[in-house]
Amino acid sequence: FVDAAGCAERSRSSGNDEINVTVCDINPEMLRVGEKRARDRYGHALLDDTKALSFVEGNAQHLPFEDEQFDLYTIAFGLRNVTDVDMALRDAYRVLKPGGRYLCLEFSHVPNPAFQAIYDAYSFNVIPAVGEMVANDRA
């Protein structure tokens, strides 16, 4: 998202950009790793001198953000880890601005054994390869 929005370049021009990315996770260690990667990739100024990228510890069921704060909310492989999916969805929509977008990436179980084999092959081979290629990052 940082690259797609041009946050790194845009923030260098003024240091004050209306486009920003907030990474929220319940696990402080995951946030630490993500912030380190961001600093290694973009430098310290993007996090320290601008509002383009920030890391916030929080629970998807009780997000630490104001109502109608975000234009876009994404969650990847997170709904499976919450204890109350409905609560997490309600809070996601609470923090979205009117007309905001909610994007969810999750895997699911396929009941048909033949389709499950195809789904597993795709999930464990194709998706990681495409992700590595797109992100230019094996991790």
Side-chain angles (χ1 to χ4, degrees), residues 2 6-22 35 38-39 42-55:
V2 172
C7 288
E9 283 120 35
R10 293 163 57 101
S11 66
R12 282 189 203 108
S13 65
S14 67
N16 192 6
D17 195 340
E18 62 188 48
I19 296 177
N20 58 65
V21 175
T22 302
E35 183 174 336
R39 288 181 184 281
Y42 302 110
H44 295 283
L46 186 67
L47 286 105
D48 297 337
D49 301 338
T50 76
K51 296 178 182 178
L53 179 61
S54 61
F55 291 82

Side-chain angles (χ1 to χ4, degrees), residues 75-81 104-110 116 118-129 131:
I75 187 167
F77 316 120
L79 287 181
R80 70 178 75 186
N81 295 319
C104 178
L105 174 64
E106 289 287 339
F107 289 119
S108 63
H109 176 71
V110 179
Q116 182 67 47
I118 294 167
Y119 181 80
D120 286 347
Y122 178 77
S123 298
F124 295 113
N125 297 297
V126 176
I127 292 175

